[in-house]
Amino acid sequence: MPTYDFRCLTCNHVFSQKLSFSERKNAACEKCGSKEVEQLFRRCNVLGGTSSVSGDITGGKSACSRTGGCSGCAGC
Ligand SMILES: [Zn+2]
């Protein structure tokens, strides 16, 4: 089962949860229990290790900038 990263829109807590694809929308903050969460993308990890960003077509880069230049991403 894949692990997805989320950021809570209520308390700003960043966390990872193992969810199936269909369960993603049911993710809830592990800290405050809010379901007001947005999904983060680990793509910035990949970008950090490669010089080529041309393959980034899914908005992963903007997802990173939204979290404060990767600082909010787990593992970045
Ligand atoms: Zn929260």
Side-chain angles (χ1 to χ4, degrees):
M1 196 176 286
T3 300
Y4 295 100
D5 295 331
F6 299 92
R7 184 170 66 88
C8 177
L9 300 178
T10 301
C11 72
N12 243 17
H13 181 58
V14 176
F15 59 100
S16 301
Q17 283 188 353
K18 281 189 176 179
L19 299 167
S20 70
F21 187 81
S22 59
E23 286 175 325
R24 276 189 315 171
K25 59 181 179 296
N26 295 324
C29 176
E30 62 181 12
K31 197 171 181 182
C32 73
S34 170
K35 293 210 166 188
E36 297 291 316
V37 299
E38 67 172 5
Q39 187 182 354
L40 304 177
F41 296 92
R42 291 178 177 271
R43 187 168 294 272
C44 51
N45 285 337
V46 178
L47 291 177
T50 176
S51 59
S52 171
V53 296
S54 58
D56 181 42
I57 58 173
T58 60
K61 243 186 134 190
S62 60
C64 286
S65 62
R66 270 192 298 146
T67 64
C70 282
S71 62
C73 292
C76 281

